[in-house]
Amino acid sequence: MGTPNAYDVLQERGYIAQSTHPDELRDLFSKERVTFYCGFDPTASSLHVGHFIMFMVMRQLQLMGHRPIVLLGGGTGMVGDPSGRSDMRRVMTIEEIDQNCANFKKQAERFIEFGDDKGLCLNNAHWLRELNYIEFLRDIGYHFSINRMLAAECYKTRLEVGLTFTELNYMVMQSYDFLYQYRNYGCRLELGGNDQWSNIIGGVELVRRAEGESVYGLTMNLLTKSDGTKMGKTAGGAVWLDRDKMSPYEFYQYWRNVDDADVNKCFRLLTFLPIDEIDQITAASGAAMNAAKERLAYEITKLVHSEADAEEAQAASRALFSGAVEAGALPETKMSRTAFTDGYGLLQLLKDLELTDSVSQARRLVEQGGISLQDEKITDSKYQVHESDFNSDARLKIRKGKKTYHLVQLTD
């Protein structure tokens, strides 16, 4: 058997949603080393699990000998992508954008091997922020039909409430990214989420019109649950890759608690385990499926954080299920001992620890029996937490529902 074709590998694992020219792209992968790119606009201070899928695809391709370009959107981020939006994105300062780009680059280094011949990390600020507007309109804008652009999926939702001229330019800027990278780095393929299809087609068409050359686009399936809803959200927001926004333990627990029906898909998209092994691991049910979820959570946490983090989170998770909680890997908040001298309202504490969004939500949770302190259920919404509720190590274990834990550590 020869080396598997990169297109076939991505398709077998379930990554591919749409492709501009499937047969031509498959042929390209078999004939040459392909330079490809994926863009990441710095809309937050950290990447999240939706981005992680794209890095998994890029790493899969890099391991098969192709060259990735991680493109940071220091230029496009100043405009904001309207795709899938019903409102305009918040305008960020240049300082915010540049800091977020720096954070993204540091996180990308965990997944992609950089070096001129192995992989590149570029920032479109270097060419977009320096553009001459009149020349850009003449040389690039000339190739775009407004009628065709307005028919694109990425603009439909925004048109209902009002599309700004700024947002209308986003597709042109992203398309120019592809042209620039084709001209300067020999880039032949753009990757993106399924919501980027219209923007990617714009880039493919621009290269064809401006250079008379064939390039390609490939979109990836979004991470969804078996019921079709989007995966990667928690009560507290996105599943972040930054340990300061989501601890390795919380990250591990998210994957440890996915539905049985989603385990096989998550293994295929978010780990490098061979498919035969994945199918064998996930063929089980009952207690054996819990073991499969542990393995899933371990593998993903190891990739995003480290093997040590994965082992620590797994040990803490097992301790929780056995009732022997240890501090260290669990989410923990340090609070002054004096705050509990006269009693600290349980409802306010739950809100302050961000275990609930509001006091009223906390009240409902307590009265419905969803809160335990030191494994003892509390149903009194007027309960006051005192220092006497803490154990000998000055820690208080709070459990919300069956699977969410938080430790409060007293400090003098």
Side-chain angles (χ1 to χ4, degrees):
M1 289 181 64
T3 303
N5 185 278
Y7 191 94
D8 293 340
V9 170
L10 298 184
Q11 197 164 44
E12 184 181 22
R13 295 191 78 95
Y15 287 113
I16 297 176
Q18 299 177 90
S19 175
T20 53
H21 307 85
D23 294 336
E24 290 181 27
L25 183 54
R26 188 182 186 283
D27 191 47
L28 183 70
F29 275 129
S30 67
K31 287 182 176 178
E32 63 183 75
R33 184 174 188 238
V34 178
T35 294
F36 63 96
Y37 94 95
C38 183
F40 301 88
D41 272 355
T43 54
S45 60
S46 169
L47 297 166
H48 54 67
V49 72
H51 298 121
F52 180 49
I53 285 192
M54 301 310 304
F55 280 109
M56 287 296 297
V57 173
M58 297 179 83
R59 184 58 177 161
Q60 292 274 9
L61 293 177
Q62 187 175 46
L63 290 172
M64 286 182 275
H66 304 288
R67 184 173 74 149
I69 298 175
V70 174
L71 182 64
L72 305 174
T76 43
M78 295 180 69
V79 171
D81 185 0
S83 302
R85 301 282 298 190
S86 59
D87 59 342
M88 188 173 178
R89 292 186 184 275
R90 180 179 70 86
V91 177
M92 297 185 294
T93 66
I94 290 180
E95 290 74 22
E96 282 181 288
I97 291 170
D98 290 346
Q99 182 58 59
N100 290 351
C101 282
N103 294 346
F104 280 21
K105 182 179 181 182
K106 186 176 180 181
Q107 289 178 315
E109 289 170 348
R110 276 206 57 79
F111 313 117
I112 303 298
E113 190 174 357
F114 291 119
D116 284 347
D117 192 48
K118 295 178 180 177
L120 300 172
C121 186
L122 307 177
N123 189 328
N124 62 21
H126 295 316
W127 56 85
L128 291 180
R129 291 185 190 175
E130 303 301 321
L131 283 174
N132 179 294
Y133 186 61
I134 300 298
E135 287 182 6
F136 186 71
L137 285 178
R138 183 192 63 191
D139 298 337
I140 304 300
Y142 167 79
H143 296 292
F144 287 83
S145 160
I146 292 293
N147 290 348
R148 192 178 304 162
M149 289 174 69
L150 293 180
E153 194 65 37
C154 62
Y155 290 131
K156 283 184 179 178
T157 305
R158 294 292 296 122
L159 277 171
E160 294 174 6
V161 293
L163 177 71
T164 67
F165 178 71
T166 303
E167 292 172 302
L168 184 64
N169 278 268
Y170 188 88
M171 181 189 289
V172 182
M173 294 170 67
Q174 182 169 328
S175 299
Y176 181 69
D177 283 342
F178 201 167
L179 178 61
Y180 183 92
Q181 290 172 102
Y182 171 79
R183 287 172 170 171
N184 291 276
Y185 301 98
C187 184
R188 301 289 303 279
L189 170 66
E190 179 180 1
L191 307 180
N194 206 14
D195 57 341
Q196 291 297 308
W197 182 242
S198 299
N199 291 330
I200 289 174
I201 290 176
V204 170
E205 283 294 303
L206 177 60
V207 175
R208 182 183 65 80
R209 290 170 181 270
E211 297 291 327
E213 295 290 342
S214 295
V215 293
Y216 307 93
L218 197 57
T219 65
M220 304 301 144
N221 287 309
L222 299 176
L223 188 62
T224 56
K225 300 178 184 178
S226 56
D227 62 5
T229 59
K230 197 170 181 180
M231 191 182 290
K233 292 286 185 182
T234 68
V239 177
W240 300 105
L241 306 190
D242 186 336
R243 65 193 303 126
D244 291 331
K245 293 174 77 73
M246 188 176 207
S247 72
Y249 171 79
E250 292 172 296
F251 185 83
Y252 176 97
Q253 282 295 96
Y254 178 84
W255 303 109
R256 173 64 180 81
N257 294 322
V258 298
D259 291 340
D260 291 4
D262 299 322
V263 175
N264 187 282
K265 176 194 283 188
C266 289
F267 263 116
R268 286 171 177 250
L269 298 179
L270 302 174
T271 79
F272 292 106
L273 295 185
I275 288 179
D276 289 347
E277 185 179 349
I278 291 171
D279 290 343
Q280 185 177 0
I281 292 171
T282 58
S285 59
M289 181 53 77
N290 285 330
K293 291 181 183 181
E294 276 199 342
R295 177 72 183 279
L296 173 70
Y298 179 88
E299 294 291 338
I300 301 176
T301 305
K302 181 173 71 172
L303 287 172
V304 170
H305 294 290
S306 70
E307 188 169 6
D309 286 321
E311 289 177 356
E312 187 175 9
Q314 187 171 74
S317 180
R318 287 175 175 173
L320 281 174
F321 278 95
S322 68
V325 178
E326 298 292 338
L330 301 188
E332 181 178 287
T333 300
K334 290 181 170 60
M335 298 185 71
S336 171
R337 188 182 301 270
T338 57
F340 296 88
T341 303
D342 298 321
Y344 200 124
L346 176 59
L347 304 186
Q348 187 63 46
L349 180 62
L350 294 173
K351 180 180 180 298
D352 292 346
L353 294 174
E354 297 184 351
L355 288 169
T356 63
D357 294 329
S358 64
V359 169
S360 58
Q361 185 187 43
R363 179 178 292 105
R364 288 193 298 273
L365 199 58
V366 170
E367 292 175 349
Q368 292 168 5
I371 295 294
S372 295
L373 302 181
Q374 311 291 40
D375 293 323
E376 204 171 303
K377 194 171 289 186
I378 306 294
T379 57
D380 179 6
S381 61
K382 297 180 180 178
Y383 190 87
Q384 296 288 313
V385 182
H386 290 83
E387 190 176 339
S388 58
D389 289 299
F390 289 74
N391 65 15
S392 57
D393 292 325
R395 289 192 179 95
L396 175 68
K397 180 181 71 173
I398 302 174
R399 186 179 77 223
K400 183 179 80 169
K402 294 181 179 179
K403 300 174 180 178
T404 302
Y405 287 80
H406 200 100
L407 291 178
V408 178
Q409 171 73 64
L410 294 182
T411 58
D412 293 322

